[in-house]
Amino acid sequence: MEFDFLSPVDNEILEYINRLSTQHLGSKIAFHTDKDFPDIDKVKIAIIGVLENRGATNSVNEIINLNAIRKELYGLFPGNWHSYIADLGDIIAGNSLEDTFFALQKVASKLIKKGTIPIIIGGSQDLTYPIYRAYDALEQMVNLVAIDSKFDLGKQDDSISADSYLTKIILNEPNNLFNFSNVGFQTYYNSQEEIDLIEKLYFDAYRLGELSTNIELAEPVFRDADIVSIDLNSVKSSTSGNLTTFNPNGFDGKEICSLSRYSGISDKVSSIGIFNHNNSKEESILIAQIIWYFIEGVNFRSNEYPFTTRENFLKYIVPLESEDLVFYKSNKTGRWWIEINFFAGQHNKLKKNTLLPCSHEEYLTACNQEIPERWWKAQRKNSV
């Protein structure tokens, strides 16, 4: 059974939970213990640790201990939440990196198929690869969003690592990746060849400076994501306390928590991973709050996409010189979508995905007779 790969939550955490009040989050979560395993059919959100960082490339392989993160998280107070949450324990590092990948893929696949959202705490970011492979059994195309200062592209023959996992996702069969979006890249950490490749593949990339000016620009990106992968190195060290891998620039605490909430509130996101942390006290507090905001978002999902009816949406038709663009605005949330016409016979797994999340600003761009870049890339990708 897939859940045999999971070891129980440390007794240190269970003893800590017993000292909390009934109002704390820790008192409202089901735990995998030596004697009990949560009823997975009831679980909406599952927290899983993965004690694996052999894919890390910028630091000594330290022993991963997630107890500090769990204590910080379970010591918080929940919001007005209705989701059943469980901590399923940890996946212990296997004899090889591939063994760990296999275990994580099996566990994540089982949960996703059941409609449970796994929150995966690593470990190095190459663990994104087995999470992506977990969708193989679902036979669907996948959209991946990485909150990262780098694109994590490596050479084709490089072994998989936290700095090269994206290459394996792009090249390895079966190729289920439809779109990749990077949120928060910093130009000086990426070669011009990598930036050009992202553009050539019609992927999306948003610079840190662009989002720091207006963090809401990222919201439509997460609305169309299946997997979200967070690299803690995308957060500046003055916020994270990570002085081992010093980052003078990056997202601050408010921004990274906003991005996490966008991930949670998306009707489509079905897994999230948080990687490359350094076991510091400061970063444990930050990760706990990132997870809290994700759970908060999940509990406030509007469940308005995919559309079951368009009665609650306003339709806008913008005539351009070459064709008409069709937009929809939700009366419930005020969010926007733009219609994409996929060609018959192309990407059969995607023929139902005819609406692309967008922003109000992109509607205004179309009104000014300019084709939104997001729409153009989606159309070009479809025609390849």
Side-chain angles (χ1 to χ4, degrees), residues 68-110:
I69 296 172
R70 284 185 163 102
K71 287 181 180 179
E72 295 295 341
L73 175 62
Y74 299 143
L76 300 175
F77 293 97
N80 185 21
W81 298 346
H82 53 79
S83 298
Y84 189 92
I85 308 168
D87 188 332
L88 301 185
D90 296 326
I91 295 175
I92 307 296
N95 291 328
S96 67
L97 187 58
E98 291 71 22
D99 291 338
T100 310
F101 282 7
F102 178 82
L104 177 55
Q105 177 181 340
K106 291 296 184 182
V107 171
S109 181
K110 183 75 171 181

Side-chain angles (χ1 to χ4, degrees), residues 208-342:
L208 172 66
E210 180 183 9
L211 295 175
S212 294
T213 302
N214 183 7
I215 198 68
E216 293 181 5
L217 291 174
E219 187 276 328
V221 181
F222 293 98
R223 214 186 316 156
D224 205 35
D226 298 289
I227 308 168
V228 175
S229 175
I230 301 176
D231 184 345
L232 264 295
N233 290 320
S234 66
V235 179
K236 58 185 176 182
S237 291
S238 59
T239 293
S240 69
N242 185 353
L243 302 179
T244 303
T245 305
F246 183 72
N247 298 299
N249 293 303
F251 292 114
D252 62 24
K254 181 180 178 181
E255 291 165 344
I256 194 69
C257 287
S258 293
L259 295 177
S260 182
R261 191 177 190 278
Y262 289 152
S263 304
I265 210 168
S266 164
D267 292 324
K268 193 177 180 188
V269 169
S270 52
S271 63
I272 186 171
I274 304 169
F275 307 107
N276 292 346
H277 57 87
N278 70 340
N279 291 333
S280 71
K281 171 74 172 177
E282 296 85 352
E283 211 160 56
S284 296
I285 296 172
L286 177 62
I287 293 170
Q289 294 186 11
I290 289 171
I291 295 171
W292 190 97
Y293 273 100
F294 178 79
I295 298 174
E296 171 87 346
V298 171
N299 280 273
F300 282 92
R301 289 185 172 184
S302 59
N303 299 314
E304 63 183 0
Y305 184 79
F307 296 169
T308 53
T309 174
R310 300 193 181 183
E311 294 178 359
N312 296 320
F313 295 83
L314 290 175
K315 183 178 181 179
Y316 296 81
I317 301 175
V318 181
L320 298 181
E321 184 176 340
S322 57
E323 61 185 296
D324 294 344
L325 296 186
V326 179
F327 291 84
Y328 290 90
K329 179 186 177 182
S330 167
N331 293 330
K332 183 178 181 181
T333 63
R335 298 190 294 186
W336 289 77
W337 283 263
I338 187 171
E339 196 168 73
I340 302 293
N341 296 315
F342 289 116

